Amino acid sequence: MSECMNLKCLLKIFQKSKDFLRSAGWIVCDANSPRWWDNLRSYEEIVICSILVQISSWDSVKKALINLRKAGLANLKMLSEAGIKEVEKLINPVGFRSVKARRLINVAREIERIGGLNELKKLEDPRRFLLSIDGIGKETADAIMLFALNIPTVPVSNYVRSVLNRIGFIKSKCGYEELRRKILRELDADIYSLKLFYAGMTSVGRIACKKERTKCDICPLKCVCMGMDLFDVSRNR
């Protein structure tokens, strides 16, 4: 990574690349809006989709969410009272639907048990509570924290890790928590900036910075990427 470039520089690039982020399903908008996740309608839909998207494509998640909306189950209260078979049928477009149906109902019940998302946000350690729920790992917990609770953190997805490695921010393997803290220290950012960073990194990872077929010519980070000289851009068009 260039000495003059740090993660805050990436925020400036992503701020100018909203159309690119939109092409990957991210809506850059008000800091506290649930619309960041491809125009979702509520924070509860973010929680639901954070479970559905595990090892599944976003397109399949959107189809499953539409089914849940039509059935009146795109909220935690109704979902907590639903039957597993009903939910399993509705989320058929995603993979591992039997497991995810159970996870969705369990997550909904646990959050409703304490009074919903507003009460979850008031807990001394919401992240610890989320991690105590079966089916919620660190990445999912941090996604819920940042996008549904508007609490500063950053999910360390494979896309984030891969792009940070490609641009030269990390050069050796490091654990999830180590990298999460490193990013937060570097950014020292507000909710809007953290959401913008994550949306930008995942967009680059999904669309441009692929392992097998990079598309450096369309990547907004090509001006700061240390890996650019490793790829023949014309070959990847």
Side-chain angles (χ1 to χ4, degrees):
M1 182 172 63
S2 169
E3 291 182 1
C4 64
M5 197 279 284
N6 54 41
L7 296 190
K8 290 185 178 180
C9 292
L10 303 187
L11 293 178
K12 296 178 181 179
I13 295 173
F14 293 145
Q15 184 64 30
K16 297 177 181 178
S17 308
K18 293 180 181 179
D19 288 341
F20 180 83
L21 272 60
R22 182 182 288 271
S23 70
W26 293 98
I27 308 296
V28 179
C29 54
D30 177 75
N32 296 318
S33 173
R35 293 181 58 238
W36 282 79
W37 280 30
D38 210 4
N39 224 12
L40 294 188
R41 298 173 181 174
S42 69
Y43 296 134
E44 294 193 355
E45 287 191 350
I46 291 176
V47 175
I48 292 169
C49 289
S50 73
I51 302 298
L52 292 176
V53 80
Q54 295 172 352
I55 323 179
S56 294
S57 71
W58 184 246
D59 285 340
S60 65
V61 169
K62 289 192 292 185
K63 292 176 183 177
L65 179 61
I66 290 172
N67 292 342
L68 290 170
R69 284 173 176 171
K70 290 178 178 178
L73 295 179
N75 67 81
L76 299 181
K77 185 179 187 307
M78 297 304 295
L79 195 56
S80 69
E81 299 170 355
I84 291 177
K85 291 299 182 181
E86 179 185 13
V87 175
E88 184 177 332
K89 183 178 180 180
L90 292 170
I91 65 171
N92 183 63
V94 301
F96 305 98
R97 58 184 182 274
S98 296
V99 173
K100 289 181 181 178
R102 289 180 171 79
R103 285 182 179 176
L104 280 174
I105 293 172
N106 182 51
V107 169
R109 286 175 178 173
E110 288 298 309
I111 294 176
E112 283 298 298
R113 179 177 59 82
I114 63 170
L117 290 180
N118 287 335
E119 294 303 315
L120 172 58
K121 187 173 182 177
K122 294 176 185 177
L123 294 181
E124 182 178 351
D125 192 346
R127 189 171 188 260
R128 182 177 181 181
F129 175 84
L130 288 169
L131 290 172
S132 73
I133 302 175
D134 183 47
I136 294 184
K138 292 179 179 179
E139 184 180 338
T140 300
D142 287 322
I144 293 172
M145 289 273 288
L146 180 59
F147 290 97
L149 301 182
N150 294 309
I151 294 175
T153 187
V154 61
V156 182
S157 66
N158 288 334
Y159 285 136
V160 170
R161 186 182 294 273
S162 176
V163 175
L164 287 178
N165 181 69
R166 184 65 58 80
I167 67 175
F169 181 74
I170 52 175
K171 297 182 178 180
S172 59
K173 290 184 178 181
C174 56
Y176 184 99
E177 289 299 334
E178 180 185 355
L179 183 52
R180 185 177 72 94
R181 293 191 184 102
K182 181 177 176 66
I183 294 170
L184 291 174
R185 282 197 306 271
E186 278 281 328
L187 289 176
D188 187 26
D190 54 23
I191 291 294
Y192 176 86
S193 297
L194 289 169
K195 289 182 178 181
L196 180 63
F197 172 80
Y198 183 75
M201 296 299 282
T202 55
S203 296
V204 169
R206 282 184 59 192
I207 296 177
C209 199
K210 299 180 179 181
K211 290 183 179 180
E212 299 299 328
R213 190 171 179 81
T214 58
K215 298 180 179 179
C216 300
D217 54 327
I218 65 170
C219 180
L221 299 184
K222 60 185 178 183
C223 59
V224 296
C225 182
M226 289 185 66
M228 269 290 292
D229 59 347
L230 299 178
F231 304 99
D232 179 359
V233 175
S234 62
R235 172 175 60 84
N236 294 314
R237 287 179 179 173

